PDB file of all heavy atoms in Angstrom:
ATOM      1  N   SER A  28      16.602  10.045   5.545  1.00  0.00           N
ATOM      2  CA  SER A  28      17.579  10.198   6.626  1.00  0.00           C
ATOM      3  C   SER A  28      17.271   9.213   7.736  1.00  0.00           C
ATOM      4  O   SER A  28      16.150   8.722   7.865  1.00  0.00           O
ATOM      5  CB  SER A  28      17.533  11.627   7.183  1.00  0.00           C
ATOM      6  OG  SER A  28      16.299  11.863   7.843  1.00  0.00           O
ATOM      7  N   ASP A  29      18.286   8.914   8.531  1.00  0.00           N
ATOM      8  CA  ASP A  29      18.150   8.075   9.722  1.00  0.00           C
ATOM      9  C   ASP A  29      17.773   6.639   9.370  1.00  0.00           C
ATOM     10  O   ASP A  29      17.926   6.203   8.239  1.00  0.00           O
ATOM     11  CB  ASP A  29      17.142   8.698  10.694  1.00  0.00           C
ATOM     12  CG  ASP A  29      17.533  10.110  11.088  1.00  0.00           C
ATOM     13  OD1 ASP A  29      18.603  10.250  11.698  1.00  0.00           O
ATOM     14  OD2 ASP A  29      16.791  11.058  10.759  1.00  0.00           O
ATOM     15  N   ARG A  30      17.259   5.941  10.359  1.00  0.00           N
ATOM     16  CA  ARG A  30      16.968   4.519  10.220  1.00  0.00           C
ATOM     17  C   ARG A  30      15.712   4.176  11.006  1.00  0.00           C
ATOM     18  O   ARG A  30      15.499   4.689  12.098  1.00  0.00           O
ATOM     19  CB  ARG A  30      18.156   3.697  10.737  1.00  0.00           C
ATOM     20  CG  ARG A  30      17.994   2.197  10.622  1.00  0.00           C
ATOM     21  CD  ARG A  30      19.160   1.469  11.236  1.00  0.00           C
ATOM     22  NE  ARG A  30      20.418   1.723  10.529  1.00  0.00           N
ATOM     23  CZ  ARG A  30      21.547   1.087  10.789  1.00  0.00           C
ATOM     24  NH1 ARG A  30      21.585   0.196  11.743  1.00  0.00           N
ATOM     25  NH2 ARG A  30      22.630   1.384  10.117  1.00  0.00           N
ATOM     26  N   ILE A  31      14.878   3.328  10.433  1.00  0.00           N
ATOM     27  CA  ILE A  31      13.627   2.948  11.099  1.00  0.00           C
ATOM     28  C   ILE A  31      13.427   1.448  11.020  1.00  0.00           C
ATOM     29  O   ILE A  31      13.988   0.769  10.153  1.00  0.00           O
ATOM     30  CB  ILE A  31      12.405   3.659  10.474  1.00  0.00           C
ATOM     31  CG1 ILE A  31      12.365   3.435   8.961  1.00  0.00           C
ATOM     32  CG2 ILE A  31      12.392   5.139  10.811  1.00  0.00           C
ATOM     33  CD1 ILE A  31      11.144   4.036   8.271  1.00  0.00           C
ATOM     34  N   VAL A  32      12.625   0.945  11.950  1.00  0.00           N
ATOM     35  CA  VAL A  32      12.207  -0.455  11.946  1.00  0.00           C
ATOM     36  C   VAL A  32      10.708  -0.465  11.656  1.00  0.00           C
ATOM     37  O   VAL A  32       9.929   0.210  12.338  1.00  0.00           O
ATOM     38  CB  VAL A  32      12.499  -1.144  13.290  1.00  0.00           C
ATOM     39  CG1 VAL A  32      12.027  -2.592  13.258  1.00  0.00           C
ATOM     40  CG2 VAL A  32      13.987  -1.071  13.611  1.00  0.00           C
ATOM     41  N   VAL A  33      10.301  -1.204  10.638  1.00  0.00           N
ATOM     42  CA  VAL A  33       8.913  -1.201  10.168  1.00  0.00           C
ATOM     43  C   VAL A  33       8.329  -2.602  10.268  1.00  0.00           C
ATOM     44  O   VAL A  33       8.963  -3.578   9.848  1.00  0.00           O
ATOM     45  CB  VAL A  33       8.832  -0.710   8.702  1.00  0.00           C
ATOM     46  CG1 VAL A  33       7.392  -0.753   8.190  1.00  0.00           C
ATOM     47  CG2 VAL A  33       9.404   0.693   8.575  1.00  0.00           C
ATOM     48  N   ARG A  34       7.120  -2.679  10.820  1.00  0.00           N
ATOM     49  CA  ARG A  34       6.378  -3.943  10.824  1.00  0.00           C
ATOM     50  C   ARG A  34       5.378  -3.908   9.671  1.00  0.00           C
ATOM     51  O   ARG A  34       4.542  -3.014   9.573  1.00  0.00           O
ATOM     52  CB  ARG A  34       5.653  -4.166  12.152  1.00  0.00           C
ATOM     53  CG  ARG A  34       4.815  -5.457  12.158  1.00  0.00           C
ATOM     54  CD  ARG A  34       4.341  -5.809  13.553  1.00  0.00           C
ATOM     55  NE  ARG A  34       5.455  -6.255  14.380  1.00  0.00           N
ATOM     56  CZ  ARG A  34       5.762  -5.751  15.579  1.00  0.00           C
ATOM     57  NH1 ARG A  34       5.038  -4.763  16.065  1.00  0.00           N
ATOM     58  NH2 ARG A  34       6.778  -6.217  16.272  1.00  0.00           N
ATOM     59  N   ILE A  35       5.470  -4.878   8.773  1.00  0.00           N
ATOM     60  CA  ILE A  35       4.629  -4.925   7.573  1.00  0.00           C
ATOM     61  C   ILE A  35       3.180  -5.212   7.966  1.00  0.00           C
ATOM     62  O   ILE A  35       2.903  -6.144   8.734  1.00  0.00           O
ATOM     63  CB  ILE A  35       5.140  -5.987   6.582  1.00  0.00           C
ATOM     64  CG1 ILE A  35       6.588  -5.681   6.179  1.00  0.00           C
ATOM     65  CG2 ILE A  35       4.242  -6.058   5.363  1.00  0.00           C
ATOM     66  CD1 ILE A  35       6.762  -4.359   5.477  1.00  0.00           C
ATOM     67  N   THR A  36       2.262  -4.416   7.424  1.00  0.00           N
ATOM     68  CA  THR A  36       0.838  -4.562   7.771  1.00  0.00           C
ATOM     69  C   THR A  36      -0.030  -4.901   6.571  1.00  0.00           C
ATOM     70  O   THR A  36      -1.258  -4.879   6.672  1.00  0.00           O
ATOM     71  CB  THR A  36       0.313  -3.249   8.393  1.00  0.00           C
ATOM     72  OG1 THR A  36       0.496  -2.172   7.458  1.00  0.00           O
ATOM     73  CG2 THR A  36       1.033  -2.928   9.682  1.00  0.00           C
ATOM     74  N   SER A  37       0.576  -5.225   5.420  1.00  0.00           N
ATOM     75  CA  SER A  37      -0.220  -5.541   4.231  1.00  0.00           C
ATOM     76  C   SER A  37       0.274  -6.844   3.606  1.00  0.00           C
ATOM     77  O   SER A  37       1.441  -7.219   3.748  1.00  0.00           O
ATOM     78  CB  SER A  37      -0.121  -4.413   3.205  1.00  0.00           C
ATOM     79  OG  SER A  37       1.217  -4.261   2.763  1.00  0.00           O
ATOM     80  N   LYS A  38      -0.639  -7.482   2.891  1.00  0.00           N
ATOM     81  CA  LYS A  38      -0.284  -8.688   2.155  1.00  0.00           C
ATOM     82  C   LYS A  38       0.198  -8.294   0.759  1.00  0.00           C
ATOM     83  O   LYS A  38      -0.162  -7.234   0.257  1.00  0.00           O
ATOM     84  CB  LYS A  38      -1.501  -9.613   2.042  1.00  0.00           C
ATOM     85  CG  LYS A  38      -2.042 -10.085   3.375  1.00  0.00           C
ATOM     86  CD  LYS A  38      -3.283 -10.942   3.173  1.00  0.00           C
ATOM     87  CE  LYS A  38      -3.852 -11.390   4.505  1.00  0.00           C
ATOM     88  NZ  LYS A  38      -5.097 -12.189   4.334  1.00  0.00           N
ATOM     89  N   PRO A  39       0.996  -9.139   0.108  1.00  0.00           N
ATOM     90  CA  PRO A  39       1.436  -8.827  -1.255  1.00  0.00           C
ATOM     91  C   PRO A  39       0.238  -8.621  -2.178  1.00  0.00           C
ATOM     92  O   PRO A  39      -0.719  -9.399  -2.162  1.00  0.00           O
ATOM     93  CB  PRO A  39       2.240 -10.077  -1.652  1.00  0.00           C
ATOM     94  CG  PRO A  39       2.694 -10.666  -0.349  1.00  0.00           C
ATOM     95  CD  PRO A  39       1.594 -10.390   0.629  1.00  0.00           C
ATOM     96  N   GLY A  40       0.281  -7.558  -2.979  1.00  0.00           N
ATOM     97  CA  GLY A  40      -0.803  -7.266  -3.902  1.00  0.00           C
ATOM     98  C   GLY A  40      -1.974  -6.536  -3.287  1.00  0.00           C
ATOM     99  O   GLY A  40      -2.930  -6.189  -3.983  1.00  0.00           O
ATOM    100  N   GLU A  41      -1.924  -6.283  -1.976  1.00  0.00           N
ATOM    101  CA  GLU A  41      -3.026  -5.595  -1.302  1.00  0.00           C
ATOM    102  C   GLU A  41      -2.526  -4.345  -0.585  1.00  0.00           C
ATOM    103  O   GLU A  41      -3.085  -3.930   0.420  1.00  0.00           O
ATOM    104  CB  GLU A  41      -3.710  -6.528  -0.299  1.00  0.00           C
ATOM    105  CG  GLU A  41      -4.341  -7.751  -0.940  1.00  0.00           C
ATOM    106  CD  GLU A  41      -5.009  -8.641   0.082  1.00  0.00           C
ATOM    107  OE1 GLU A  41      -5.084  -8.235   1.266  1.00  0.00           O
ATOM    108  OE2 GLU A  41      -5.467  -9.735  -0.296  1.00  0.00           O
ATOM    109  N   THR A  42      -1.473  -3.750  -1.112  1.00  0.00           N
ATOM    110  CA  THR A  42      -0.912  -2.567  -0.474  1.00  0.00           C
ATOM    111  C   THR A  42      -1.765  -1.338  -0.779  1.00  0.00           C
ATOM    112  O   THR A  42      -2.655  -1.361  -1.630  1.00  0.00           O
ATOM    113  CB  THR A  42       0.523  -2.315  -0.959  1.00  0.00           C
ATOM    114  OG1 THR A  42       0.483  -1.990  -2.352  1.00  0.00           O
ATOM    115  CG2 THR A  42       1.393  -3.538  -0.745  1.00  0.00           C
ATOM    116  N   PHE A  43      -1.444  -0.265  -0.079  1.00  0.00           N
ATOM    117  CA  PHE A  43      -2.160   0.995  -0.284  1.00  0.00           C
ATOM    118  C   PHE A  43      -1.989   1.476  -1.721  1.00  0.00           C
ATOM    119  O   PHE A  43      -2.929   1.979  -2.341  1.00  0.00           O
ATOM    120  CB  PHE A  43      -1.625   2.027   0.706  1.00  0.00           C
ATOM    121  CG  PHE A  43      -2.375   3.324   0.707  1.00  0.00           C
ATOM    122  CD1 PHE A  43      -3.725   3.354   0.971  1.00  0.00           C
ATOM    123  CD2 PHE A  43      -1.714   4.507   0.454  1.00  0.00           C
ATOM    124  CE1 PHE A  43      -4.417   4.548   0.978  1.00  0.00           C
ATOM    125  CE2 PHE A  43      -2.395   5.712   0.460  1.00  0.00           C
ATOM    126  CZ  PHE A  43      -3.753   5.728   0.725  1.00  0.00           C
ATOM    127  N   VAL A  44      -0.789   1.309  -2.276  1.00  0.00           N
ATOM    128  CA  VAL A  44      -0.541   1.731  -3.657  1.00  0.00           C
ATOM    129  C   VAL A  44      -1.393   0.915  -4.623  1.00  0.00           C
ATOM    130  O   VAL A  44      -1.944   1.450  -5.596  1.00  0.00           O
ATOM    131  CB  VAL A  44       0.955   1.599  -4.004  1.00  0.00           C
ATOM    132  CG1 VAL A  44       1.190   1.846  -5.485  1.00  0.00           C
ATOM    133  CG2 VAL A  44       1.774   2.575  -3.172  1.00  0.00           C
ATOM    134  N   ASP A  45      -1.517  -0.384  -4.387  1.00  0.00           N
ATOM    135  CA  ASP A  45      -2.353  -1.225  -5.251  1.00  0.00           C
ATOM    136  C   ASP A  45      -3.795  -0.725  -5.253  1.00  0.00           C
ATOM    137  O   ASP A  45      -4.441  -0.650  -6.301  1.00  0.00           O
ATOM    138  CB  ASP A  45      -2.322  -2.683  -4.778  1.00  0.00           C
ATOM    139  CG  ASP A  45      -0.966  -3.337  -5.003  1.00  0.00           C
ATOM    140  OD1 ASP A  45      -0.391  -3.097  -6.082  1.00  0.00           O
ATOM    141  OD2 ASP A  45      -0.497  -4.052  -4.125  1.00  0.00           O
ATOM    142  N   ARG A  46      -4.305  -0.392  -4.074  1.00  0.00           N
ATOM    143  CA  ARG A  46      -5.679   0.115  -3.999  1.00  0.00           C
ATOM    144  C   ARG A  46      -5.797   1.481  -4.671  1.00  0.00           C
ATOM    145  O   ARG A  46      -6.804   1.789  -5.319  1.00  0.00           O
ATOM    146  CB  ARG A  46      -6.124   0.202  -2.545  1.00  0.00           C
ATOM    147  CG  ARG A  46      -6.439  -1.161  -1.929  1.00  0.00           C
ATOM    148  CD  ARG A  46      -6.946  -1.003  -0.516  1.00  0.00           C
ATOM    149  NE  ARG A  46      -5.893  -0.538   0.367  1.00  0.00           N
ATOM    150  CZ  ARG A  46      -6.109  -0.048   1.580  1.00  0.00           C
ATOM    151  NH1 ARG A  46      -7.340   0.076   2.029  1.00  0.00           N
ATOM    152  NH2 ARG A  46      -5.105   0.335   2.337  1.00  0.00           N
ATOM    153  N   MET A  47      -4.769   2.316  -4.519  1.00  0.00           N
ATOM    154  CA  MET A  47      -4.790   3.629  -5.166  1.00  0.00           C
ATOM    155  C   MET A  47      -4.848   3.491  -6.682  1.00  0.00           C
ATOM    156  O   MET A  47      -5.595   4.206  -7.364  1.00  0.00           O
ATOM    157  CB  MET A  47      -3.556   4.431  -4.756  1.00  0.00           C
ATOM    158  CG  MET A  47      -3.587   4.966  -3.345  1.00  0.00           C
ATOM    159  SD  MET A  47      -2.022   5.739  -2.885  1.00  0.00           S
ATOM    160  CE  MET A  47      -1.946   7.093  -4.052  1.00  0.00           C
ATOM    161  N   ILE A  48      -4.067   2.564  -7.232  1.00  0.00           N
ATOM    162  CA  ILE A  48      -4.047   2.380  -8.678  1.00  0.00           C
ATOM    163  C   ILE A  48      -5.427   1.978  -9.178  1.00  0.00           C
ATOM    164  O   ILE A  48      -5.933   2.500 -10.174  1.00  0.00           O
ATOM    165  CB  ILE A  48      -2.989   1.332  -9.075  1.00  0.00           C
ATOM    166  CG1 ILE A  48      -1.581   1.882  -8.804  1.00  0.00           C
ATOM    167  CG2 ILE A  48      -3.139   0.924 -10.528  1.00  0.00           C
ATOM    168  CD1 ILE A  48      -0.495   0.857  -8.973  1.00  0.00           C
ATOM    169  N   ALA A  49      -6.056   1.047  -8.478  1.00  0.00           N
ATOM    170  CA  ALA A  49      -7.399   0.615  -8.875  1.00  0.00           C
ATOM    171  C   ALA A  49      -8.397   1.758  -8.795  1.00  0.00           C
ATOM    172  O   ALA A  49      -9.284   1.897  -9.642  1.00  0.00           O
ATOM    173  CB  ALA A  49      -7.850  -0.543  -7.992  1.00  0.00           C
ATOM    174  N   LEU A  50      -8.241   2.600  -7.790  1.00  0.00           N
ATOM    175  CA  LEU A  50      -9.184   3.701  -7.608  1.00  0.00           C
ATOM    176  C   LEU A  50      -9.016   4.776  -8.665  1.00  0.00           C
ATOM    177  O   LEU A  50      -9.988   5.245  -9.260  1.00  0.00           O
ATOM    178  CB  LEU A  50      -9.013   4.302  -6.210  1.00  0.00           C
ATOM    179  CG  LEU A  50      -9.530   3.445  -5.056  1.00  0.00           C
ATOM    180  CD1 LEU A  50      -9.011   3.978  -3.739  1.00  0.00           C
ATOM    181  CD2 LEU A  50     -11.043   3.428  -5.052  1.00  0.00           C
ATOM    182  N   VAL A  51      -7.773   5.210  -8.912  1.00  0.00           N
ATOM    183  CA  VAL A  51      -7.578   6.307  -9.859  1.00  0.00           C
ATOM    184  C   VAL A  51      -7.853   5.876 -11.289  1.00  0.00           C
ATOM    185  O   VAL A  51      -8.200   6.699 -12.142  1.00  0.00           O
ATOM    186  CB  VAL A  51      -6.156   6.908  -9.749  1.00  0.00           C
ATOM    187  CG1 VAL A  51      -5.916   7.474  -8.380  1.00  0.00           C
ATOM    188  CG2 VAL A  51      -5.088   5.869 -10.084  1.00  0.00           C
ATOM    189  N   GLU A  52      -7.732   4.583 -11.587  1.00  0.00           N
ATOM    190  CA  GLU A  52      -8.066   4.097 -12.926  1.00  0.00           C
ATOM    191  C   GLU A  52      -9.556   3.850 -13.084  1.00  0.00           C
ATOM    192  O   GLU A  52     -10.043   3.629 -14.183  1.00  0.00           O
ATOM    193  CB  GLU A  52      -7.305   2.809 -13.229  1.00  0.00           C
ATOM    194  CG  GLU A  52      -5.845   3.035 -13.524  1.00  0.00           C
ATOM    195  CD  GLU A  52      -5.157   1.769 -13.980  1.00  0.00           C
ATOM    196  OE1 GLU A  52      -5.514   0.684 -13.483  1.00  0.00           O
ATOM    197  OE2 GLU A  52      -4.268   1.847 -14.845  1.00  0.00           O
ATOM    198  N   GLY A  53     -10.288   3.886 -11.974  1.00  0.00           N
ATOM    199  CA  GLY A  53     -11.728   3.675 -12.050  1.00  0.00           C
ATOM    200  C   GLY A  53     -12.129   2.220 -11.997  1.00  0.00           C
ATOM    201  O   GLY A  53     -13.322   1.902 -12.044  1.00  0.00           O
ATOM    202  N   ALA A  54     -11.151   1.300 -11.912  1.00  0.00           N
ATOM    203  CA  ALA A  54     -11.491  -0.114 -11.928  1.00  0.00           C
ATOM    204  C   ALA A  54     -12.284  -0.528 -10.701  1.00  0.00           C
ATOM    205  O   ALA A  54     -13.078  -1.455 -10.746  1.00  0.00           O
ATOM    206  CB  ALA A  54     -10.204  -0.955 -12.017  1.00  0.00           C
ATOM    207  N   ALA A  55     -12.060   0.176  -9.593  1.00  0.00           N
ATOM    208  CA  ALA A  55     -12.732  -0.201  -8.352  1.00  0.00           C
ATOM    209  C   ALA A  55     -13.969   0.647  -8.082  1.00  0.00           C
ATOM    210  O   ALA A  55     -14.571   0.539  -7.038  1.00  0.00           O
ATOM    211  CB  ALA A  55     -11.756  -0.068  -7.176  1.00  0.00           C
ATOM    212  N   ARG A  56     -14.338   1.513  -9.055  1.00  0.00           N
ATOM    213  CA  ARG A  56     -15.488   2.384  -8.817  1.00  0.00           C
ATOM    214  C   ARG A  56     -16.784   1.602  -8.899  1.00  0.00           C
ATOM    215  O   ARG A  56     -17.054   0.901  -9.867  1.00  0.00           O
ATOM    216  CB  ARG A  56     -15.525   3.527  -9.836  1.00  0.00           C
ATOM    217  CG  ARG A  56     -16.502   4.614  -9.453  1.00  0.00           C
ATOM    218  CD  ARG A  56     -16.613   5.658 -10.533  1.00  0.00           C
ATOM    219  NE  ARG A  56     -17.657   5.339 -11.482  1.00  0.00           N
ATOM    220  CZ  ARG A  56     -18.923   5.714 -11.351  1.00  0.00           C
ATOM    221  NH1 ARG A  56     -19.302   6.406 -10.302  1.00  0.00           N
ATOM    222  NH2 ARG A  56     -19.813   5.402 -12.262  1.00  0.00           N
TER     223      ARG A  56
END
C-alpha cells in the first residue's frame, strides 16, 4: 500500500538476500 522513496544502500550482488543465501546454504560458514 501507499508509496515510498527509497535510497539504495547496497551494491549489486551484495544485498541482504545474497548474504542470507550464502549463510543458509553454509557457504559462508
Side-chain angles (χ1 to χ4, degrees):
S28 67
D29 303 297
R30 181 184 295 188
I31 53 177
V32 179
V33 178
R34 177 168 289 127
I35 301 298
T36 59
S37 63
K38 299 177 181 178
E41 298 180 7
T42 66
F43 186 58
V44 172
D45 291 318
R46 285 183 291 165
M47 286 174 63
I48 292 172
L50 288 166
V51 299
E52 285 187 325
R56 193 185 90 89

